[in-house]
Amino acid sequence: MPALPTGSIVLFVDGTCIFCNRLVCFILRRDRRGIFHFAHLQGELAATVLARHGLAPDPDVIYAVSDLGGRDERVWLDGAAARQIWPKLFWFAAVLRLVPLWLLNLQYRAFARIRYRLYGQSESCIAPSPAERARFLS
């Protein structure tokens, strides 16, 4: 398991989803503190971590993992994941804490079901720059 800086969050992303790949690029451009790291949902790291928490990889779920491999490791799903991601990138996204979690989850699940139709799928992933490559775990 890779050692990550304290406060890092690992996002498990669907490696075949074009929208997900664009989202990774979007986060990389805005994450000046290097908080976010990425791993493919279809990879061994995601399978291992999710199994520890009694979860199976689901491409229609957003996963954010805090304290990867640590004693306080926690997996956040869908709306709870959004609450971990967006406020760290945009201060005004703290408003997500006011939105009921069931509503955030509903929104994320609805979008997940149509994202392939809207953006498509790809067999290849983004090619990160050498500086970005260190933030990809698998």
Side-chain angles (χ1 to χ4, degrees), residues 44-109:
E44 187 178 321
L45 178 63
T48 301
V49 171
L50 295 176
R52 269 199 304 263
H53 294 272
L55 301 167
D58 179 347
D60 289 340
V61 175
I62 298 169
Y63 299 96
V65 182
S66 57
D67 194 30
L68 180 69
R71 61 185 172 94
D72 294 325
E73 180 179 84
R74 183 149 182 207
V75 178
W76 308 88
L77 309 175
D78 294 332
R83 289 178 175 172
Q84 296 299 309
I85 299 166
W86 302 116
K88 289 175 178 55
L89 296 173
F90 306 105
W91 63 269
F92 55 85
V95 73
L96 288 175
R97 296 196 192 315
L98 302 175
V99 178
L101 192 54
W102 68 267
L103 189 57
L104 286 175
N105 289 341
L106 181 67
Q107 172 200 359
Y108 273 84
R109 290 293 171 104

